[in-house]
Every structure is written in C-alpha cells, then in structure tokens.
Amino acid sequence: MPDIKGKKVLITAGPTHEPIDPVRFIGNHSSGKMGIAIAEEALAIGAEVTLICGPSNVKSSSKIKRINVQSAQNMFDAVMQLQETQDVLILSAAVADYRPKIVAENKIKKSDTKLTIELESTPDILASLGQQKRQNQLLVGFALETNNELENAKGKLVKKNCDLLVLNSLQDAGAGFGHDTNKVSILDRHNNIATFELKSKAEVAKDILRTIIAFK
Ligand code: C5P
C-alpha cells in the first residue's frame, strides 16, 4: 500500500460485553487503548477513519467516525455494513469468543442451587472478513497469546486469511490489557516477522501503520 492518505480505514477496538440478563454480562479486560491509538495515528496521517468500539472510557478525536457497540453480534453487524467500502481493516478488538445461548429477560435471582449458563460461539468477524476480502483490501488481525505464540499467530494469520497479524504476548511485562505500553511482533503472509521493543501504544500504532504502508 503506497500511501494511506485519503484511504478508508476501519478499526475495531475494545472489549465486547455479552449479556447474561438485563444487568450482567461476560466481558474482558481490554481497555480499547491500542485500537484507539491506531485510529488516532491513521487520522494523523490522512486516512478517513471509522472506529467500531466496544465499551471503553477512552475518548477519541471528533474527526474519527466512532460507532459504539456492546456485543460481538453488534460489532459484527456494524463491520459488515461498512466492510465493502474499506481499504484497510484493522481488527484490534478483544471480541468475546462465547456468549450466553439464552439471555434472561429478567434479572436472574439468587438461589441455593448452582447456576449453569450455556455458552455458544460468537461470529468471528476477522474470519468472515478474510473470506470476503476483495482485491486491494488489506486485512490486519491481532493475536494475544500466552503460549506457543509465534506458531499460534502464524496459524491464525493463515486460517483467517489476514495480510498482517500483530502479535502481543501477555508474557511481556508492561504489554497488553490496560497498559499504556505494548510490545508487539508483526507477521505478514509472506512469512516475514518484525519484532519491536516495548513502547507507548501511540508509538506501537506508528509501527503498525508504517508496516501496513510498506506491505506489498
Ligand atoms: O481467534 P482469536 O480470537 O485469538 O483471534 C483474534 C483476532 O480475531 C483479533 O484480530 C480479533 O479482533 C478477531 N476476532 C474477531 N471476532 C471474534 C473473535 C476474534 O474479529 N469473534
């Protein structure tokens, strides 16, 4: 991609909340900081940016078109509506893999018996985009791995038909959920791997966008 100026870039960020009943949900510790930093950097270098963001307190520039969503299904629907028109799709959201199969209509009451909640898979947004990817559309996935990191990340890149995959490891101190810093490796579909130092998420966002622009 020779330049990102004027290109349409869609970014997913944050966690998703999967409702159990009207007051409870299954969620995760994602803050949205990494994805929002990417959105801000893409805007700074001239892209037309849409941010599809799960529940997050992190603010974003008014020049970014932000669509706030709650669940994986909401995020899937919002992405699918826009995907055809996008040049670059960066999926940094920590989407829940499972959701309660049945959402209780009323608050579940406490009782003396044990409670079992059946879970079902959520739609995989990245994999769906990989299946529908059109020519000249660049797809970037994220992976957060705790073991066999490189191997799992490579597998994910291939399986989900990504062009680039950003790997962050929870084993690195200061990296990942909630922190203002992150340490990533970026893999591409030609088997290149670039490893970066621990940096602020704003600097990591620059590395990610530079890698996207340099990707052939
Ligand atoms: O398979 P795994 O969840 O580890 O894949 C992570 C990548 O897939 C991230 O880019 C994440 O945003 C994306 N993903 C998604 N929809 C899901 C699950 C993950 O887009 N339901």
Side-chain angles (χ1 to χ4, degrees), residues 9-190:
V9 178
L10 182 146
I11 296 148
T12 69
T16 64
H17 286 180
E18 308 303 324
I20 296 170
D21 69 14
V23 296
R24 303 182 179 97
F25 59 83
I26 297 174
N28 62 64
H29 292 298
S30 169
S31 62
K33 283 178 186 170
M34 190 63 250
I36 293 171
I38 298 168
E40 296 291 355
E41 178 59 22
L43 179 76
I45 59 175
E48 200 181 304
V49 183
T50 303
L51 173 68
I52 300 185
C53 197
S56 165
N57 294 326
V58 182
K59 303 246 179 317
S60 49
S61 155
S62 60
K63 292 196 181 107
I64 292 172
K65 183 182 169 204
R66 178 165 177 165
I67 301 169
N68 290 321
V69 296
Q70 294 285 326
S71 67
Q73 189 65 51
N74 298 155
M75 190 173 274
F76 179 88
D77 294 342
V79 171
M80 289 307 152
Q81 245 184 31
L82 295 171
Q83 59 95 10
E84 223 180 301
T85 58
Q86 302 300 310
D87 301 301
V88 181
L89 299 126
I90 306 172
L91 275 78
S92 69
V95 184
D97 291 322
Y98 294 97
R99 64 187 172 200
K101 192 168 180 188
I102 294 164
V103 181
E105 217 172 291
N106 298 306
K107 186 182 170 197
I108 298 170
K109 294 260 184 299
K110 186 157 65 179
S111 82
D112 292 336
T113 56
K114 80 172 182 188
L115 173 69
T116 303
I117 298 173
E118 191 182 348
L119 303 179
E120 63 178 11
S121 296
T122 56
D124 191 318
I125 308 165
L126 180 59
S128 302
L129 291 174
Q131 280 167 9
Q132 302 174 25
K133 194 167 69 174
R134 60 171 169 75
Q135 236 188 346
N136 297 329
Q137 199 171 42
L138 198 115
L139 185 58
V140 185
F142 270 66
L144 182 73
E145 303 291 339
T146 53
N147 58 307
N148 283 341
E149 293 149 323
L150 270 181
E151 208 177 300
N152 287 337
K154 265 187 200 162
K156 213 161 273 185
L157 183 144
V158 172
K159 191 167 157 225
K160 302 199 189 195
N161 196 21
C162 298
D163 299 293
L164 296 164
L165 191 124
V166 181
L167 168 65
N168 41 62
S169 165
L170 274 183
Q171 281 169 4
D172 291 304
F177 284 162
H179 292 282
D180 289 321
T181 49
N182 203 6
K183 185 176 183 327
V184 303
S185 300
I186 306 180
L187 291 69
D188 75 15
R189 69 174 152 85
H190 310 306

Side-chain angles (χ1 to χ4, degrees), residues 1-3 138 164 188 208-216:
M1 168 152 301
D3 199 357
L138 198 115
L164 296 164
D188 75 15
I208 293 170
L209 283 156
R210 274 190 215 118
T211 308
I212 289 172
I213 292 165
F215 180 75
K216 289 190 184 81

